[in-house]
Amino acid sequence: MNNNFDNAGISVLNDDYTDFIEKYIHIKFKIEPVFINRKLKLPVSVKYSKSLGNDRICNGAAASVIYNKKNTLIIDFGTATTFTLMSDNILTGGMILPGIKTSLLSLTGMTSLPEVNLTFPRSLINNNTIDNIRAGVLYQSLFSAERIIRETGKKYKGLFVIATGGYSKLISGKTGLINITDRYLALKGINIIISQ
């Protein structure tokens, strides 16, 4: 394993871990990591409260630099499903929904329903519990994403939609409303931000 590099960029949502991570990186690699936040020089402007997650800043930076569209909606299908709107190179806002796996765990953890693997069943309506759960969790996410894309597109013309995150390919394969899937958008954003 090659441990030779000059810098490291890190995006964490919980500041409780930054001291530990910083010490570990310094001891292991002899460098001072850069923690992504809105105080850094960014390739985008941020019109959002201070509570904005750094992962969404990274996604916005990458979307702006790599895809460079007037209006972009980034859908991150991760632990939470986040919608982040970029307009004229400004991160203007968004929405946060329960993530696909989070929805599944909430459903099965709060009921006596069985745990299932997340794959789309053959049809929307099914006659067994396993496929009912799969269809419910996955189509809920798909249909809400499609509706949000359509509604956002009414105000932001020419909307370019990027899917990212662990479940992005699963959802983007079922809709024609997503222009591109880029699972590593946040990592690309970190690289862009620390390379400026």
Side-chain angles (χ1 to χ4, degrees):
M1 181 173 153
N2 183 355
N3 291 340
N4 296 326
F5 48 90
D6 297 327
N7 58 16
I10 300 171
S11 172
V12 293
L13 299 177
N14 187 337
D15 288 336
D16 294 342
Y17 299 115
T18 55
D19 286 342
F20 169 78
I21 294 169
E22 185 172 20
K23 287 175 186 171
Y24 179 82
I25 298 286
H26 182 71
I27 291 168
K28 180 84 174 161
F29 302 107
K30 308 292 188 252
I31 59 174
E32 299 296 327
V34 175
F35 287 91
I36 305 301
N37 62 60
R38 66 191 310 152
K39 295 175 185 173
L40 296 173
K41 181 181 176 190
L42 301 173
V44 296
S45 297
V46 178
K47 183 182 173 186
Y48 196 99
S49 72
K50 292 181 181 176
S51 61
L52 178 66
N54 297 326
D55 55 335
R56 295 171 76 187
I57 292 171
C58 295
N59 282 337
S64 178
V65 171
I66 296 168
Y67 300 104
N68 194 27
K69 303 291 183 182
K70 178 175 173 55
N71 295 313
T72 302
L73 183 65
I74 305 155
I75 310 172
D76 191 335
F77 293 100
T79 305
T81 297
T82 61
F83 294 77
T84 304
L85 180 67
M86 299 289 302
S87 183
D88 292 322
N89 210 35
I90 301 169
L91 195 156
T92 60
M95 185 182 298
I96 302 173
L97 285 68
I100 294 170
K101 184 77 177 232
T102 302
S103 293
L104 175 65
L105 293 175
S106 177
L107 179 64
T108 58
M110 303 292 283
T111 65
S112 60
L113 292 170
E115 293 184 18
V116 301
N117 292 326
L118 283 170
T119 57
F120 273 96
R122 290 185 187 175
S123 61
L124 181 64
I125 303 297
N126 301 278
N127 61 0
N128 66 79
T129 301
I130 298 295
D131 284 338
N132 278 196
I133 295 168
R134 288 176 175 151
V137 170
L138 292 173
Y139 281 109
Q140 169 185 263
S141 185
L142 171 65
F143 294 158
S144 63
E146 288 183 325
R147 180 66 185 266
I148 292 165
I149 291 167
R150 287 190 180 103
E151 292 299 316
T152 306
K154 289 178 184 177
K155 181 174 180 183
Y156 297 92
K157 301 303 178 191
L159 188 67
F160 185 77
V161 181
I162 304 169
T164 190
Y167 288 100
S168 55
K169 285 188 178 181
L170 185 63
I171 298 298
S172 63
K174 289 287 186 179
T175 181
L177 298 180
I178 293 172
N179 297 99
I180 195 159
T181 301
D182 188 337
R183 285 190 64 190
Y184 303 107
L185 193 67
L187 293 176
K188 292 174 182 178
I190 291 171
N191 190 49
I192 288 166
I193 292 167
I194 67 171
S195 298
Q196 293 194 95

